[in-house]
Amino acid sequence: MAIGLTHYLVIGAILFSLGLYSVLTRRNAISILMGVELILNSSNINYVAFSHFSSGNVEGQVYAIFVIMLAAAEAAVGLAIVLAIFQIFHTIDVEAAETLKE
Amino acid sequence: MDIATALFYLVAIITVGSAAVVAFSRNIIYSAFSLMGTFAGVAGIYVFLGADFVAAVQLLIYVGGILVLILFAVMLTHRITDVEITNRAAGRIPALLAIGIFIFLLVQTIRETSWAKAKEILYAPTTARIGDLFLENYLLPFELASLVLLAALIGAVVLSRKELRE
Amino acid sequence: MDLGNLESLKFFYPEIVLSGTILLLILFDLFIRNKRWLGLMAFLGCILSLVTTFQLYGMSPGWLFHHMIILDNFSLFFKVVSLLAALLVVWMSLGCREIREIHQGEYYTILLTSALGMFFMASSSNLLMAYLSLELVSITSYILTGFLPHNRRSTEAALKYLIYGGVASGTMIYGMSWIFGMTGSLDYARISEALFQGQTNHLALFMAFIFILAGFGYKIVFVPFHMWSPDVYQGAPTPITAFLSVGSNAAGTAILMRFFFPAVSRLGEGGDWLFISGVEWPHFLLMVSMVTMTLGNLCALNQQNLKRLLAYSGIAHAGYILMGLVVLNNDGLKAMLFYIVVYLIMNLGAFLVVVIVANETGKEEIGDYRGLAWRGAAIPAVCMAIFLFSLTGLPPLAGFVGKFFLFAAVIKQGFYLLAVVGIINSVISLYYYAGVVKTMFLDFPEPTDPQVTMTANTSALLGVLSTLTVLFGIYWGPLVHSLH
Amino acid sequence: MDQPIQTDYLRWIVLLPLLGAATNGLLGAQLQKRFGKGLISTIAIAPVLGSFLLSVRALFDLVALQPEQRFLIDRLYTWITTGSLNVDVAFWIDPLSAVMILVVTGIGGLIHIYSIGYMHDDNSYWRFFTFLNLFTFAMLLLVTGDNLLLVFVGWEGVGLCSYALIGFWYQDHVNTTAGNKAFIVNRVGDFGFILGIFLIFWTLDHQGHGTVSFREIQKFASLLKNQEIWGGGVATLATLFLFVGATGKSAQIPLYVWLPDAMQGPTPVSALIHAATMVTAGVYMIARLHFLYSMAPLTLEVVAVIGVATALFAATIALTQNDIKRVLAYSTISQLGYMFLGAGVAAYGAAIFHLMTHAFFKACLFLGSGSVIHAMGGEQDMGKMGGLRSAMPYTFWTFAISVLAIAGTPLTGGFFSKDEILWQAFSSAHGSPLLWSLGVVGAGLTAFYMFRQLFLVFFGNSRADHHTQEHLHESPKVMTVPLVILAIGSIAAGWIGLPEVFGGSQFAEWLEPVFGKPHEMAASEGPELLLMICSVAVAAVGFFIAYLMYYRGALAPERFSSLAGGALYRLFYNKYYVDEIYQAIFVRGTLLLARTGAWIDQHIIDFIVDGSAKTTAYISWFNGLFDNYVIDGIVNALANITFWAGGKFRKVQTGNINSYLYVILGAVVLAIIVRLRYSS
Amino acid sequence: MTDNVLSWMTFFPVAGMVVVLLLPHDRHSLIRWVSALATLPPLLLAIWLYANFDRTSSGLQFVEKAPWIPTYNIQYFIGVDGISISMVLLTALLSFLCIFASWGIDKGVKGYFALFLLLDTGMMGVFVALDFFLFYIFWEVMLLPMYFLIGIWGGPRREYAAIKFFLYTLFGSVLMLLAILALYFASEPHTFDMTQLIAQSGKYGTSALAMWPFDRWGWGFQHVVWMALFIGFAIKIPAFPFHTWLPDAHVEAPTAISVILAGVLLKMGTYGILRINYPMLPAATADLAYYFLGALGTWNIIYGALCAMAQKDLKKLVAYSSVSHMGYVMLGMASFTPQGINGAVLQMFNHGTITGMLFLLVGVIYDRAHHRDIDGFGGLAAIMPVYTGVTAVAFFASMGLPGLSGFISEVLVLLGAWQKYVILSILGASGVILIAGYLLWTIQRVYLGPVNEKYKSLPEINGRELFTLVPLGIIVIILGVYPHAILDLLRSSLDQLNQIVIPHLS
């Protein structure tokens, strides 16, 4: 069977789900952020794959590049926040950081 | 199975496998390091898709930037030996269940959907075309992205600045 | 009109002014000692930008920067709303003690950047632009939320917001990638073309929309993407809460409409929008709207913290605003827009009172408002009552007119169930709003409760907002007219 | 019927007493303080006398007219005009109302005068005269009103004044309770009355002649004849409704219960309201609407039966009472029963005649008893009286004459009028020997208890305590003069209404334009005489037994009271327990309903209202719970992880990001699945 | 000024409110006098209006019309006809008197009078508004001041009472809002103009809605809208079972507010039904009036009277008597006879004056004794004779004693109802007995009987209090003797109203 669009999309889907799984189960903020990165990567695979198979131009690739850039920005901010949290709470377990409540 | 196909599956397995380690590992250091595998694998996939520039960017930014950041964060916030505490996970079984259904739905839909078909599939180098696009059609997003990065920069500085006033 | 990069610039003044202000702020931050000037600068920048925005009004619609953004009255409207929100929040921040203690230079920079992001959210005509602008707003929002140094709640809220936003936007771009895969394009117009021509798979489309909605929905704060908002609203500095509650909501609505109207629908005869077959938006949105307003209101009933209460009420209001989307015609659209303006005014007003009280007492619990009217703060209490009753939708206040138009649009299309649910929700909401009013007026203060006074600055803003709330309740003709 | 003659002085007959009432009512307290009681009584009595004089003038005006034209009217203004309803404020005088206004103003005037003496020591003097005047006004309105609604105003007005005067000494709970009872029982009657008005109006209105004016009703009465409602004739039903009103006002079964209690008021009040005037309003009303009643034989029968039943019933109670005024009260009820008997056999003239004579002798009796009570220092128990004859000659003689009159002693007023009624009860088309014989029995009872009273009070030895005996005195002139006049009236009034046997009744002739010709029974002089002798004989028996029992002491009263094991006596003495029964059924029943209503309001309706609020609150609470606990709970429980989060941090389950994300994922999956199900 | 007399009447109090707000808050007596001055012109104008009202015309008079929000066809459209003129009079009078009844307020004086004046404008506006939207605005404008007036200046359970009142009324008014919108879209061109809506009343369909459960009841558009409006108004009336806010609100509200509440606000319910339900939805009115106005009204009469009888609190008793008396209004309205409907509106006016008196009287005694427990008094007649005399007038008027105003309206109502619903009329008439029962019982317990030593030194009613009561008392008597003073105003308009509905009666 030739490697086609579906293969890439399935890889993307699996990455997406794994990312979601991390986000759902992890208590560690950094781990959750890693899950988010997985999600972003999964959609990037989609974009590049579609760019290749569907649109026939590089628009999808451009999109992927922007996603990567923004992922970097988000990671920077995210990790800054995580560090701030760590300074205050001395842990980055999201369950512990729960001053906010009803 | 030709080489290319075999290579593809190899890359795919690396990608998915290390992603699985990221998701399932009980040690955050393992997670963080396997993330590198994923990123690299994804870069490989980009190469398969003829997106050389994107692959390069992926390696540069993800592996060279983001991953390093993450590792720094991990180091800063954990004693490495502290395995159990650092990467607790909760609700695995329901999560697995939900994710299972979800993945099933996704894959089913992917298989049944008639995606758009490109007129021709190109395998030309893309760097130049992407560069053109950035300066022409995608100038505004490009500028905007720089703004995002600027804001993120400032934000990261502000947020992580140690300032104990209490 | 479809312009390239350079030609576009002359229709780009508002953004340019705003970006210029941002850069100047960064620059002056280095030199200026009295940081209050920075606030004033931001304020002036907003006004200038507002002026330039108004100059663009009434232009024939067109695309700028190679189909990246669209310039029409709709986007201009939201630019005005975002600017107003930013403007008023800057003004509010000037009178806020919380803000005076932090890095004001960065604060105003990020705030204006966020406003700029909202500009693009309202005008993007491209999936990439949509994502970028959304991210711009999101990232700045995370920063603003976590701006209070060494403040547990603030930082924690920021973390939650970040994780939540990250997942939401990740999901969104995954959905967008599917759209891209189905149509081979990122541009809304071409997407619409492709979708209406091709044999699309409805299920894939539906799932893609759902994913995308996760991204938009968490900005608008509708159920089930609402859960971050109470925590974030409670934790963020109050002016930022105000900004998020109105700006982010408005921009989210804008991007939603931007996406759904041009991308997946067509204007049919008689002003009704036709959707791609197989996508049951009215029913879906109907459910979301009803659930959102009901859940928001019900949860608000039990709140003790005023900011949290306003967060839940904001969720309910998102539900009301969605009512206008359900009917999918221009009536509903106009009603939504009107409501957004009105909501902006009254909600900011309510938060302003929170700021005023917190300035003196440092507290936000409803119990701390005990007998506010008798603690030297009769005017803020009265204004708060006006805002809260306006939020309830009592005439002759602006909120009533807003709800009136929404209900009118809904009833006209025969969505009686939605109207009835909306009405019942209004009554429920009265209960908790009136509870706050009760605490302020009907309870009497303990001797230990501190006196509350206002500065000239806050009282001027309060006067403006409450006057507008009453004014739009009595004479809203011009405002409605401007929406046409 | 000819057009009535418009006059402009009739209004003053009615309004003068109102003027007096208004003056005293608004300024009385001040005037009394400043100028003394003399001014008050002058203000009160002058208008009544004025009314009396005007009434006399009206009488002469009427006399001057042809019998068919004896009809004066004074129309003031239009009161209510709505749709087809048109009500004037107009007063009219025809021979019937002429009799009534003369009785009201004449006897009323005397009672006013009498009150000067009787009430002399009371501080609320002005208030008393205010109400007395107001009452006179209302009563005059009642008898001169030209339409049913206006009459109803008077009808309720007299009720109000009666209420106010019964409870005049309001500091005593018993008095005010009696007042309440009178008012409420009367209201029950009024309820029937007003329904009667409605029925008449609408029935006529359907024929295009909606009206409440008496003359108009009479004109269109024939239209009512064949109308039916609820399977009965409208005339019958309407008259029955109105009769309910009459039973209330005129204290007939079943609504008589208030009258005995009404004796709590000052005695002049009892004389004026509860003997001479107000209580006769029902009789007047029936006479006024005789044309309707004549159309409704069934109603007439009911009226007659109730009348005679009341007459007997009240008389039996009166046999055993010891309170001087209560005896008179029951006697009044009984006598009113006779009047209704008369009206019930369509002998309206006879009823009115008895009304008039009764007004004299009963007023005299009441005032006499008032004089006695006055002398006895407020004592009302006949068991503590006796032998007053010598101490109070005027009182005694006038009282005795009145007793003779009421007992139907020949040649007194009561004799003529009562026999007229009994004769009609026997001979009229609506009458029957049974009615007559019951009436005669009643007459016998009347004679017995009245003489019993006379003997107990005025004869024998005094049973009063020493102190009272010493203070015994005849009442002042201002009280005795009215007594004398009334006593004379008791005798004389009868002579204007002689029976056919003795030359025919002037009174009947006078009323002829109103009621039409009396029945042509002239041929049967023999029976009339015979019946007359019969009734006199029965009355004589009554007198004789009373004489034996209470004068001679030859017959111990106990011998009667222990008849049938004393049960009968107890039954009479306790007034057949009617009060107790009413109390149990109506008063308690209503109160029970009231409490039930209030309970429902507080507990059920409010429960529902509060409940819906609570439900909402509960749902919201549950919602929060759901947010906070269930989702997290599922997550945590299924994962079975250890809840440990470092010693220094509070373990809180809210605000959990993971669970938030769960919700979203769940919602998304759910939405997709739902979508799948629908599309497939 | 004569051109805009209604606007002046409506907005003068708000102008007064602004002045009051500008006054320093510790100048109590100045604030009171300014408030009195602010309510006086409307009263004088109302009298002028009364004198110049054309009684022969059934149409609208003193009309003012100006576009307001042209895009939605919303107008500033006010005017009076026979239905509203009496209510305008009543409002002007009671507002003025209640300022004096509020003289004793000493907490938050400024706020109190400011809110009171705002309330005044709202009330006046409701009665003169002829644009549905305007009507709704004014309707709601009353809500807030009322909430605060009860909630801040009320009795011990004021919060509960205020929020209960608020929620109830709001629930009703939002239903009304839906109905208003439904009518707006049903009209062509879309309009809020009441006269237009009435003119188009034939257009609104009556065929059954294909929606459960309306299809089973045979209800059409008209019926559903009618019902929505009715519930909104029934809460104000208050009709059973929407009445439970009333006792609480009345008991807790300060005296003057009780007077306004009972005297004016309750009338809005029945006024609204006459003004809106009747002419705009005549077919539904014809179908539903029997059940929801006639039968429910009768039930109100009896139920209210029974509940009143069981009360121990004097004010609560008066409150329930309002429930009972408003039942007459409903019954009369439902009869569609000239007598019934005229009687109903007259009863609205009379109830306003009589209940106004009653609440003022309760206030007088409460101010002195600081409680309202019926059984806690006794023998007040001897201590306060003048007060008792005035009370007697009010009580007997409330009882419907002939010669006083209540009688005329009750008789007209019952007479009118008789033609249509004999049984209801009889039941309603029997209510008169109950009313007499509890009122007499109350008089006996409070005013008569031996003097209660505790209250031996209570001061007699003072001049200011008399000033608030006497005008009402005089009106009560005048209207009993000469009801045409009001009836003449009503006749033409109400007859015309009847003519709209009657053709739809089957």
Side-chain angles (χ1 to χ4, degrees), chain E residues 147-311:
Chain E
Y147 169 72
F148 286 112
L149 286 169
I150 297 174
I152 299 179
W153 289 273
R157 286 173 72 236
R158 58 204 154 87
E159 288 178 11
Y160 174 73
I163 196 78
K164 199 168 174 185
F165 163 81
F166 203 9
L167 281 177
Y168 254 110
T169 328
L170 189 76
F171 174 71
S173 54
V174 288
L175 272 181
M176 194 162 92
L177 179 63
L178 284 183
I180 291 174
L181 287 171
L183 283 172
Y184 173 75
F185 289 117
S187 59
E188 199 59 54
H190 299 342
T191 181
F192 289 107
D193 184 333
M194 287 191 188
T195 54
Q196 290 294 317
L197 289 170
I198 291 167
Q200 299 191 19
S201 64
K203 269 179 38 187
Y204 313 135
T206 51
S207 55
L209 284 187
M211 189 173 144
W212 188 88
F214 303 129
D215 50 350
R216 310 196 60 176
W217 302 336
W219 280 21
F221 172 85
Q222 279 215 7
H223 295 76
V224 175
V225 173
W226 194 94
M227 209 55 216
L229 287 169
F230 174 75
I231 291 177
F233 294 134
I235 286 172
K236 266 282 202 295
I237 291 176
F240 181 92
F242 304 112
H243 65 285
T244 55
W245 63 269
L246 180 109
D248 287 309
H250 271 309
V251 167
E252 301 307 325
T255 300
I257 300 311
S258 296
V259 173
I260 292 290
L261 201 55
V264 183
L265 259 65
L266 302 194
K267 311 299 170 299
M268 287 176 182
T270 44
Y271 170 78
I273 294 176
L274 283 176
R275 165 69 75 214
I276 291 158
N277 286 28
Y278 272 50
M280 288 183 202
L281 306 162
T285 307
D287 286 353
L288 301 175
Y290 171 73
Y291 304 100
F292 290 103
L293 289 171
L296 199 61
T298 312
W299 178 246
N300 247 36
I301 295 173
I302 292 172
Y303 187 82
L306 283 173
C307 286
M309 196 174 281
Q311 298 309 317

Side-chain angles (χ1 to χ4, degrees), chain D residues 5-17 47 50-65 69-76 90-94 98 101-102 105 140 144 510:
Chain D
I5 296 161
Q6 171 79 28
T7 60
D8 56 0
Y9 65 90
L10 295 186
R11 69 187 67 168
W12 295 112
I13 296 178
V14 181
L15 293 181
L16 277 176
S51 291
F52 179 68
L53 293 177
L54 285 173
S55 307
V56 173
R57 178 183 162 190
L59 180 71
F60 281 117
D61 281 357
L62 283 182
V63 170
L65 293 167
Q69 291 175 342
R70 281 176 184 160
F71 210 99
L72 302 175
I73 193 157
D74 186 359
R75 197 184 154 280
L76 263 73
F91 309 113
W92 71 328
I93 305 269
D94 68 348
I101 54 173
L102 282 170
T105 53
L140 287 169
T144 59
W510 169 249

